[in-house]
Amino acid sequence: MIRLLLAEDQLVVRGALAALLALEPDLEVVAQTATGDDVVSQALVFAPDVALLDIDMPGRIDGLEAAARLKQRLPACRTLMLTSNGRPALLRRALEAKVDGFVLKTAPPEELTAAIREVAAGGRVLDPKLAVTAWDLADNPLTPRENDVLRELAGGAEPPEIAARLHLSTGTVRNVLTAVVGKLNARNRTDAVRIARDAGWV
């Protein structure tokens, strides 16, 4: 019997998943939660074999952060991420968190249950629709300084404020942002932030 922890904030979706998984003779949902905050504590109590985690959940931490913490606290528990989208930024974070599987919520039920069994057996699973995205994960072309400046800009800071925080001159910050826009083939600074966020660089 494969013991499962199910973390999904939408009650209807969580209920439907639990009902679907209950139909499988070798799967048992032993714990459920609606937030990423409770994943580790629930896992420590119920010792699931696989944690089925939604990426976007309310609370202080999302599903990917919960997966990373679960790896540290309960390494025997395998992690399978569920998401409604396959943005490169999410996939990049999932790979960095060393999750064991990544499945779209639109996957047929038989693909989900097969993924659970594969992950429980020690394998890794990537939804076929995300395979192309995985190949397209480009390396970050920005230097550490460019990344720092762009991250501050993404947080809403203006060049003078960025300069003060990073101990640079305002002119240097403006030059860095111009270089970033050029490197990312962006239309402007806002577009550069969007491109970097989508790629998971900031």
Side-chain angles (χ1 to χ4, degrees), residues 64-76:
L64 285 171
E65 178 62 25
R69 294 186 185 190
L70 195 53
K71 285 284 185 187
Q72 294 175 339
R73 298 291 302 278
L74 196 68

Side-chain angles (χ1 to χ4, degrees), residues 12-25:
V12 172
V13 176
R14 190 168 74 247
L17 277 171
L20 170 73
L21 296 170
L23 297 174
E24 301 295 319

Side-chain angles (χ1 to χ4, degrees), residues 53-82:
L53 309 173
D54 181 24
I55 288 180
D56 299 310
M57 285 187 287
R60 288 171 290 127
I61 64 173
D62 64 8
L64 285 171
E65 178 62 25
R69 294 186 185 190
L70 195 53
K71 285 284 185 187
Q72 294 175 339
R73 298 291 302 278
L74 196 68
C77 179
R78 310 281 287 167
T79 51
L80 180 61
M81 308 310 299
L82 282 176

